[in-house]
Amino acid sequence: MNTFLTFDIDFTDYFTGNLFDEFEECFSSLKSSFEKFGNIKTTWFIRIDSQIEEQFGAGDYFIKKHAAALSWLQDNGHEIGWHHHSYKKKNGNWVQDTNEDVIIKDLQKYGDIALKHGFRLSRM
């Protein structure tokens, strides 16, 4: 019997509102379990969006930062997908963007980046 898990990697500490690399914090421990129990398969949705771009210089910053780990996952039967947050900065805070035109432009821009990385799955 296989076990399937899904992870949304938001790179956000929801207690403080600060960006936080939870993938870095958890991957080595999870990888050990994946190696021990080969029947565990996962899907990882990794953020590519304007907030990541503004704060780290590239919308796909974390894809590049964790390229080796993400390749290991893919090589071992796990899926990687794109997780988009549509946020804008307002009064120094990040808030959800509800402007449909901006959201569509973001989806096109960051969707193209996700496709260049070979991602075929998406979750908003």
Side-chain angles (χ1 to χ4, degrees), residues 70-88:
L70 296 173
S71 289
W72 183 91
L73 285 165
Q74 288 175 310
D75 292 345
N76 287 278
H78 304 266
E79 294 284 338
I80 310 298
W82 167 42
H83 187 39
H84 183 265
H85 284 200
S86 185
Y87 283 91
K88 64 181 177 182

Side-chain angles (χ1 to χ4, degrees), residues 2-22:
N2 288 329
T3 301
F4 300 93
L5 300 170
T6 299
F7 296 94
D8 284 355
I9 304 299
D10 291 331
F11 300 107
T12 302
D13 178 341
Y14 286 102
F15 292 109
T16 65
N18 297 323
L19 288 182
F20 167 73
D21 191 344
E22 72 264 35

Side-chain angles (χ1 to χ4, degrees), residues 1-121:
M1 181 169 102
N2 288 329
T3 301
F4 300 93
L5 300 170
T6 299
F7 296 94
D8 284 355
I9 304 299
D10 291 331
F11 300 107
T12 302
D13 178 341
Y14 286 102
F15 292 109
T16 65
N18 297 323
L19 288 182
F20 167 73
D21 191 344
E22 72 264 35
F23 186 85
E24 185 172 69
E25 293 293 320
C26 75
F27 181 70
S28 63
S29 297
L30 290 171
K31 181 181 176 193
S32 297
S33 295
F34 301 154
E35 291 171 330
K36 184 175 180 179
F37 304 102
N39 60 337
I40 298 173
K41 296 301 174 197
T42 60
T43 303
W44 298 77
F45 290 99
I46 310 290
R47 281 184 62 186
I48 302 173
D49 57 48
S50 61
Q51 184 182 19
I52 299 298
E53 181 174 11
E54 182 171 319
Q55 295 187 313
F56 295 96
D60 59 350
Y61 170 81
F62 287 107
I63 307 302
K64 294 174 183 174
K65 179 181 178 184
H66 297 298
L70 296 173
S71 289
W72 183 91
L73 285 165
Q74 288 175 310
D75 292 345
N76 287 278
H78 304 266
E79 294 284 338
I80 310 298
W82 167 42
H83 187 39
H84 183 265
H85 284 200
S86 185
Y87 283 91
K88 64 181 177 182
K89 208 168 210 179
K90 184 176 180 180
N91 300 325
N93 296 310
W94 287 95
V95 296
Q96 189 171 9
D97 197 334
T98 57
N99 181 310
E100 289 181 23
D101 292 333
V102 171
I103 293 169
I104 290 169
K105 286 179 185 176
D106 270 3
L107 291 174
Q108 290 169 333
K109 176 181 179 178
Y110 297 105
D112 287 345
I113 294 170
L115 287 171
K116 286 179 186 173
H117 285 287
F119 297 174
R120 301 288 180 250
L121 302 172

